[in-house]
Amino acid sequence: MDTRPATDQHNRVGLIADTPLVQHMLHQVVADAGYEVAVNTSPERLNATLLDSETIRVWVVELENHDTWDTFLNDLLERVEAPILFGDGDIPGKNDERYPRWHKRMQDKLRALAPVVEPKVDAPEIDLERLLKTTPRPVYTLPDRLKSAPKTELGPIWVLCASLGGPEAVKTFLDLLPRDLPACFLYAQHIDAGCLDALIQSIGRHTELKLVPGGHGSQLENGRVHVVPVNHEIRFTENHGIVWQNNPWSGPYGPSHDHLLKNVVTRFGSDTNAIVFSGMGSDGAIGATEVESAGGTVWAQDHVSCVQSSMPDSADRTGAVAWRGSPEAMAEKLIAWLDSHSTQVA
């Protein structure tokens, strides 16, 4: 099993510009070159902890007034280990005859700093047979108020992000949750696509919730755990349907936690919440900041209970994680959280 961090396989780029127009133009030139735009923001809105993100291979910076940002630029140069591509300050409009030359020049510089690489396809190995042999624990009690929650209204969305060591933690977490929970789950596990059915069988063997594949056209429902496809990006319709896209996830493993969280936030906004479970690397850290910025809640598995705490630790370092605990503690806390929150999603 390859346990190296996935960072050398990412095509993720961070963009920093002080005007929305320049942010938009940089986004297009970077995306056209085959990279994923992981961060696109202005200096004053940048979450500084993302400067330490090991998944961003290059930072592209274009600031119209350098004097205004002297302190920021000094901090950027001292803190960032990834290469930084500074723009030349001369960005022609799209109808300008100089635009194609600028477009090509930026892409050539970007590729020189960090050539586009093919994503890694090997996912962490998982002992699913061992999971099938586990003994379930007594399920936590559903509070009376939640028992009377509307059954037809979609509750908050909780995205479960897991990689190496994650299935054991996720299974423990789900096994303790009672049926009729007024919440919907998306379970994103780094795994080979051919193992997905076995994952659903092993994780879903004892839980009172229903584990189902996140199939194209399926509907998000309370009390269900929708297992996110490995090879297809998914988005969501206005009536809570899942739509497969004709492209893979960004990043080295499928599904990409950062990519998924961004898509869930785009559709569900502050009703998006996330738990980052055990795993290598830092997938989910950037997505966690998007969830927190949108008004959602982010938790992470604690260091002691993880097989590999790199992924939850990375999310925690962004400042987006509100609380950390064991899978058992998270199940109990989720029930209390739901008991004190509204259950309806727009």
Side-chain angles (χ1 to χ4, degrees):
M1 177 175 61
D2 187 352
T3 57
R4 294 173 300 169
T7 57
D8 62 338
Q9 296 295 323
H10 280 276
N11 295 315
R12 289 176 175 168
V13 175
L15 304 180
I16 304 173
D18 49 2
T19 69
L21 176 59
V22 174
Q23 290 172 21
H24 172 74
M25 295 182 74
L26 290 178
H27 189 289
Q28 182 160 356
V29 74
V30 170
D32 287 347
Y35 297 86
E36 176 198 353
V37 177
V39 179
N40 189 358
T41 187
S42 59
E44 70 269 20
R45 299 187 64 185
L46 176 68
N47 181 334
T49 56
L50 292 181
L51 296 176
D52 301 322
S53 175
E54 60 199 34
T55 68
I56 296 178
R57 297 183 65 216
V58 183
W59 288 91
V60 179
V61 180
E62 184 70 73
L63 302 174
E64 291 186 355
N65 189 349
H66 285 79
D67 293 340
T68 304
W69 305 112
D70 279 345
T71 302
F72 170 79
L73 290 171
N74 288 334
D75 184 49
L76 182 72
L77 291 169
E78 291 178 2
R79 186 166 181 173
V80 172
E81 295 185 5
I84 303 174
L85 172 57
F86 288 99
D88 54 20
D90 182 20
I91 303 180
K94 288 188 177 181
N95 295 326
D96 192 306
E97 62 180 11
R98 298 174 297 154
Y99 179 80
R101 291 195 297 273
W102 171 81
H103 190 279
K104 183 178 184 304
R105 185 169 68 250
M106 288 294 293
Q107 291 188 340
D108 288 345
K109 290 180 178 180
L110 188 57
R111 292 183 177 121
L113 286 173
V116 176
V117 293
E118 291 300 318
K120 181 176 172 58
V121 296
D122 294 334
E125 293 181 2
I126 298 171
D127 187 355
L128 297 176
E129 289 294 329
R130 185 168 63 84
L131 286 181
L132 286 171
K133 298 174 183 177
T134 58
T135 302
R137 304 183 186 187
V139 176
Y140 292 150
T141 302
L142 189 70
D144 290 339
R145 195 179 78 85
L146 294 184
K147 291 178 182 178
S148 60
K151 300 297 187 293
T152 59
E153 296 174 354
L154 187 66
I157 313 298
W158 280 85
V159 182
L160 313 180
C161 304
S163 188
L164 183 64
E168 296 90 341
V170 171
K171 186 177 191 317
T172 298
F173 170 75
L174 294 176
D175 282 353
L176 293 169
L177 296 178
R179 69 176 72 249
D180 297 328
L181 204 65
C184 174
F185 300 90
L186 289 163
Y187 174 25
Q189 172 69 50
H190 290 164
I191 193 173
D192 288 331
C195 298
L196 207 58
D197 288 343
L199 177 73
I200 293 173
Q201 180 182 3
S202 59
I203 300 293
R205 183 179 183 187
H206 299 124
T207 179
E208 293 191 356
L209 305 177
K210 187 173 183 180
L211 253 74
V212 295
H216 178 72
S218 59
Q219 295 291 122
L220 299 183
E221 294 182 24
N222 289 344
R224 288 197 171 193
V225 182
H226 304 264
V227 182
V228 178
V230 173
N231 294 330
H232 294 274
E233 176 193 357
I234 61 171
R235 297 192 182 186
F236 307 92
T237 65
E238 287 301 312
N239 64 342
H240 314 145
I242 294 175
V243 180
W244 284 23
Q245 305 298 296
N246 293 322
N247 56 268
W249 297 99
S250 61
Y253 299 137
S256 163
H257 302 146
D258 287 329
H259 197 165
L260 173 64
L261 289 169
K262 181 178 181 179
N263 288 358
V264 181
V265 166
T266 297
R267 167 59 186 90
F268 295 103
S270 61
D271 290 309
T272 306
N273 309 281
I275 300 176
V276 182
F277 287 94
S278 176
M280 287 287 292
S282 60
D283 194 13
I286 294 172
T289 66
E290 298 216 21
V291 173
E292 193 265 344
S293 295
T297 298
V298 182
W299 298 338
Q301 188 173 350
D302 61 16
H303 182 88
V304 176
S305 64
C306 282
V307 171
Q308 172 52 252
S309 68
S310 199
M311 207 166 74
D313 288 347
S314 295
D316 196 12
R317 283 194 294 270
T318 68
V321 175
W323 177 82
R324 297 185 70 169
S326 67
E328 295 87 347
M330 283 191 284
E332 185 175 19
K333 188 174 181 68
L334 177 64
I335 295 171
W337 185 94
L338 289 169
D339 197 24
S340 63
H341 284 69
S342 172
T343 59
Q344 183 175 2
V345 169

